[in-house]
Amino acid sequence: MPRWKELPDTVDHRVRQLVVHLRRMKDHSGLSLAALAAKTTYSKSSWERYLNAKTLPPRGAVEELARVAGADPTRLLALHEVCEAARESAPPADPALPEPEVPGSEDVLDGTGDDGGRRWTRARLIAVGAGAVAVLGAAGLLLALAPWSDEAERDPRITAHEGPYVWEPGTTYRCDIQRHDGRTYAGHSVTRTALMEYNSTTWDVVEAQCLLRAAGYQPGAIDGVYRNGTERAVKRLQSDAGIPDDGKVGPDTWKVLRR
């Protein structure tokens, strides 16, 4: 079976996880793209786009691939929901900024097929790329200037995960509750400042879920995905602690979780 192309680094980590699982499912089925198209309501070119992360596959495509492969789609649909929510929560382009006119800005990606996508022009791609560079540059500046960086909080006696969090459907984590210098830790993160809200997926979420459970608030599965159960538990903790119960975790909530 041909080897898959490596996904670009620009692909969102949640979409990357979904596509990797879909690729494995397709490989397990033994079907070519043409055969997959023949057994589903999506074309060969659509599957090529979906499985190379050129566009987010619709929910129906995930369900049909699972059906063809004889797999349970439940966990993949949950991951797909996370990807959809992340895409919808992304800030829209500033309407005050005119789209640049670029000579020869003919369509370079036609997404008006059966997946209900949109047409992208070279001008749009240039504008989006410039915006991404600006956002990444600002983020780097904030990290460089932030005196409260979690790196300053690290203690060699406290264990914490290194590297990015990668969500695997169905995976849960154990909580290693420990006390150091009057604070509580659970072995996944040492942060006291990280901002988290619905649909966040980080090791900080795993840490918060462990600390919520240790404090008597039930967030549901300790899986690193900030969903309804975690949000409800955070709100109850905040209400009991007398801080704004917005369901989001920030420095004030971490103070309560760490004590």
Side-chain angles (χ1 to χ4, degrees):
M1 184 165 295
R3 185 174 180 178
W4 290 105
K5 294 180 181 178
E6 185 175 351
L7 296 175
D9 293 337
T10 54
V11 175
D12 181 89
H13 67 94
R14 290 155 292 201
V15 176
R16 178 183 297 273
Q17 293 171 51
L18 176 63
V19 171
V20 167
H21 285 295
L22 293 178
R23 284 179 168 185
R24 290 174 182 170
M25 192 178 295
K26 185 263 183 190
D27 289 343
H28 181 72
S29 72
L31 297 173
S32 65
L33 290 178
L36 185 59
K39 290 180 174 291
T40 65
T41 57
Y42 297 87
S43 67
K44 177 182 176 181
S45 61
S46 292
W47 283 116
E48 189 276 330
R49 292 196 299 273
Y50 302 155
L51 296 174
N52 285 294
K54 295 179 180 178
T55 185
L56 180 67
R59 179 184 177 90
V62 176
E63 292 177 316
E64 291 194 33
L65 178 54
R67 173 181 56 79
V68 169
D72 183 356
T74 303
R75 292 175 178 174
L76 283 177
L77 290 176
L79 178 54
H80 183 273
E81 184 179 343
V82 171
C83 295
E84 281 278 13
R87 183 176 65 175
E88 292 173 2
S89 63
D94 188 345
L97 297 177
E99 182 176 300
E101 294 293 334
V102 179
S105 59
E106 66 277 4
D107 292 326
V108 295
L109 173 59
D110 188 345
T112 57
D114 52 16
D115 61 337
R118 58 173 296 184
R119 295 180 73 86
W120 285 87
T121 63
R122 185 173 291 118
R124 285 195 181 98
L125 292 175
I126 291 173
V128 170
V133 170
V135 170
L136 290 174
L141 179 61
L142 285 174
L143 288 174
L145 296 178
W148 35 259
S149 171
D150 289 336
E151 291 299 321
E153 300 173 7
R154 290 195 178 276
D155 186 317
R157 298 171 298 170
I158 305 171
T159 57
H161 289 283
E162 299 289 347
Y165 172 85
V166 178
W167 182 58
E168 292 288 342
T171 300
T172 57
Y173 301 91
R174 66 187 295 268
C175 302
D176 181 18
I177 302 299
Q178 50 192 299
R179 295 280 295 175
H180 291 288
D181 297 331
R183 298 188 183 93
T184 305
Y185 297 88
H188 299 284
S189 169
V190 297
T191 187
R192 301 201 302 271
T193 59
L195 302 178
M196 302 182 304
E197 58 185 346
Y198 193 84
N199 278 331
S200 294
T201 52
T202 65
W203 288 118
D204 300 328
V205 176
V206 181
E207 180 81 2
Q209 289 172 333
C210 285
L211 297 179
L212 284 165
R213 178 174 291 180
Y217 301 88
Q218 297 304 318
I222 309 297
D223 58 1
V225 183
Y226 203 112
R227 303 301 294 275
N228 292 330
T230 302
E231 186 176 65
R232 286 194 296 267
V234 168
K235 286 183 177 181
R236 289 195 294 269
L237 173 81
Q238 291 170 331
S239 178
D240 291 346
I243 59 178
D245 56 344
D246 57 3
K248 300 177 182 180
V249 175
D252 290 340
T253 304
W254 280 114
K255 288 179 183 178
V256 180
L257 287 171
R258 292 290 186 202
R259 68 188 184 190

